[in-house]
Every structure is written in structure tokens, then in C-alpha cells.
Amino acid sequence: MRHLSIIAFVSLVLISAGCGEESGEFPRDCLGLSLADAESCAETQFWPAFQEDFDDRFRVYDVMTALLAEHPNSTRIYQLRPLLGVAISMENDIGLLTPGQSNEWMVNMRGDLHQAVALDDSSNFYKSWRISADLTTAMFLDNDAVLQQFIDEGLAHAAENQANLMALITSFMVFPMDSGLPTRAQGMLDGWVAAGHGYRTEDSEKFPFGRAGVDFMIGEMYARVGNRDMAFFNYDQARVRGGDAWPYKFLAEEALADLDGRIATFAAFADDETPITEMVTFGEYGCKICHATR
């Protein structure tokens, strides 16, 4: 099996937080604080950088890195840093990785997620991200024995946590067709959508276009496996539910304008190739379609 890329992920993050680059309550570097205050300080800087001030992501990432040296048992920072690292890697002109390449933001992602789950294993959301990181690392290393272990773990986790499958489904979808995982992912997606999980997404301050973004991701995954009817329905749902306020409405409109061409683009990949380079949700808008305010 030939695998060409390590994958960045799309997450559904539903967490309340403050806003502003620097609060009068905390120093800009967030150092010298108690664990609780350090985590609050990091979070008040994380969200503006994640959602709007994209150029500030690098500084905030460095702030969190320094905080982990000072507070090595911070579950919250181990949860937030990989999310920001993924956003930087996909959306800040870092580019997708190819064999032999890496960057500091992606390199730390898998270890951060393992540490976050080790410190607090109660979050199914972060466990699904951790499994997804393991899956794609094994794919990148072309280690089929280890990969099978993580596939089995992912399927077991999915069976127990039906409402929290997006990270796993999206990861399975970008594997080559000859792995069998996109077909399994389609079955998981069919069940997830039929149960109404995708359409129960609610917009929030930190997830301002979650409904439209999730609809778009579902449409993208159905286009990947050639299901035209479901791709059309979900792209159109994204367009309608996002409305003119959604900064990325144009993505849904472009997909709908040439839906057959979109599907054909995915179908053109060989069975042993990953379509990662063509999936919008793993590129420069991967986090922004749900989270960005501009």
C-alpha cells in the first residue's frame, strides 16, 4: 500500500472561553501563574488566534510551549496546543507534509494528544483525535501491523461513542481505497447521519458556523466516495444554513456548481493513493469553515 501524506484533522470544538489577545488579569507570556490561571491565560489567547487573528497563531503556540515546560501536567494546554498546531500546518501556508518532511507544529501533535488523554481519559472527543493521530502516523510510516491495531481501536471506540465520530470518519475517508477504510467510513457516516448527529450541531461563540461547516464536511466525504445525492444535499445544506454571513459559503457554491467534476476529481485517484491534496476540509480552510469569524 502506498501512502503519500500525513493528515491534519478537522475538529468540532465546543468550549467556552474568554477573548482578547491579552487580558489585564494575565501577563502576555502567561508565565509565573498557578496552573489554573496559566490555563485560563492560554485559552484567552488561543481562541482569538484560532478564529480571527491568524498571524498571531505562531506566538500563541510558543506561549503554550513555554507553559508546558512550566506546567507539564496541564491537560488543557495539551488539548489546545495540537489544535493550534493543526490549524497552523493547514492554514498558515505551512503546506501538507510529504514523506521525509515535518514541522514543529505537526510533530508535537500526536504526543500532545497522548498526554492529554493520559492526564484525563474522560473526554471521548480527545480520545478520538488521539486515535486519528495514531492512525495517520501509522499510515505515514507505512506500518501495516501498527496501523491495524489503531484501526481496531478506532472501530471499537466508534462502536461505543456514536455521537463523536467525525475525527475517525474523516481520517478513514482519506486513506486509499484499497485499504478498505473509505468504504467502512461510508457505512459509519451513513449511520451517523441517519441518527441525526450531524444535523444536531449548534452554532456557538467558539463554533460560529458549526452547522454549515459540518454540513460541508459531510458533503465532502460523500463526494469522496461518489455518493452524488448525499453530496448535493449536504453541500446545499451548508450553503443555506451558512447564509451570507458564512465567510466560506463560496466553497459550497463552487462544489455545487460542478458537482460531477468534484466527484470525478476524487474518482481519478488510483486505489492506492490518498486524496488528501484535494479535500478542502484538510487544506487551507479545514478549521476555518466552522470556527473562523472572518
Side-chain angles (χ1 to χ4, degrees):
M1 188 186 299
R2 185 168 76 253
H3 305 307
L4 304 178
S5 178
I6 188 169
I7 302 166
F9 305 94
V10 178
S11 60
L12 307 178
V13 186
L14 300 167
I15 309 162
S16 297
C19 61
E21 182 184 77
E22 181 179 7
S23 167
E25 185 180 352
F26 301 122
R28 183 173 170 81
D29 63 8
C30 296
L31 296 176
L33 303 173
S34 68
L35 173 59
D37 283 348
E39 291 179 335
S40 295
C41 181
E43 193 144 2
T44 61
Q45 296 192 33
F46 169 86
W47 286 106
F50 191 57
Q51 293 187 283
E52 185 168 354
D53 190 359
F54 307 133
D55 290 339
D56 199 38
R57 288 173 170 178
F58 300 93
R59 182 194 66 81
V60 175
Y61 189 94
D62 290 342
V63 166
M64 290 193 288
T65 298
L67 281 176
L68 287 174
E70 188 171 76
H71 298 285
N73 293 320
S74 172
T75 303
R76 190 71 188 116
I77 297 173
Y78 272 119
Q79 291 173 341
L80 291 177
R81 189 172 75 154
L83 303 185
L84 194 58
V86 164
I88 289 171
S89 294
M90 290 197 300
E91 299 176 347
N92 284 79
D93 297 324
I94 300 302
L96 292 171
L97 304 184
T98 55
Q101 293 182 311
S102 64
N103 63 57
E104 63 181 286
W105 303 282
M106 289 297 290
V107 161
N108 291 323
M109 179 188 67
R110 180 170 177 261
D112 283 357
L113 291 168
H114 270 266
Q115 189 66 12
V117 173
L119 291 167
D120 179 9
D121 63 0
S122 64
S123 172
N124 287 326
F125 172 78
Y126 286 101
K127 185 174 182 181
S128 69
W129 261 61
R130 194 274 295 162
I131 295 170
S132 296
D134 286 333
L135 278 167
T136 51
T137 300
M139 182 182 81
F140 176 66
L141 296 175
D142 202 17
N143 188 328
D144 289 344
V146 174
L147 177 60
Q148 189 59 52
Q149 171 188 334
F150 294 131
I151 290 171
D152 293 342
E153 185 181 14
L155 292 172
H157 182 70
E160 296 174 0
N161 302 280
Q162 283 297 303
N164 186 54
L165 296 185
M166 185 58 80
L168 289 169
I169 294 173
T170 53
S171 295
F172 284 168
M173 278 290 187
V174 294
F175 273 73
M177 289 300 294
D178 68 3
S179 71
L181 291 180
T183 301
R184 298 190 92 162
Q186 183 174 9
M188 293 165 66
L189 182 61
D190 288 343
W192 193 70
V193 168
H197 295 302
Y199 308 128
R200 290 175 189 155
T201 303
E202 294 295 333
D203 294 343
S204 68
E205 181 183 1
K206 305 307 175 188
F207 204 50
F209 298 100
R211 290 184 298 177
V214 170
D215 288 340
F216 183 87
M217 287 191 288
I218 295 172
E220 188 85 337
M221 288 187 286
Y222 276 120
R224 188 269 187 271
V225 293
N227 187 327
R228 191 184 193 282
D229 289 343
M230 287 299 289
F232 175 85
F233 175 78
N234 286 282
Y235 281 140
D236 194 50
Q237 278 278 100
R239 178 187 62 81
V240 172
R241 293 215 285 183
D244 291 338
W246 185 31
Y248 302 100
K249 179 182 177 181
F250 71 91
L251 293 173
E253 291 175 332
E254 288 177 357
L256 289 166
D258 186 19
L259 183 56
D260 290 329
R262 188 88 191 106
I263 292 171
T265 295
F266 289 121
F269 281 89
D271 285 348
D272 63 349
E273 292 180 325
T274 170
I276 180 67
T277 56
E278 290 297 330
M279 295 197 76
V280 172
T281 45
F282 292 99
E284 61 181 308
Y285 308 115
C287 301
K288 292 175 182 177
I289 57 172
C290 291
H291 292 285
T293 55
R294 68 172 176 86

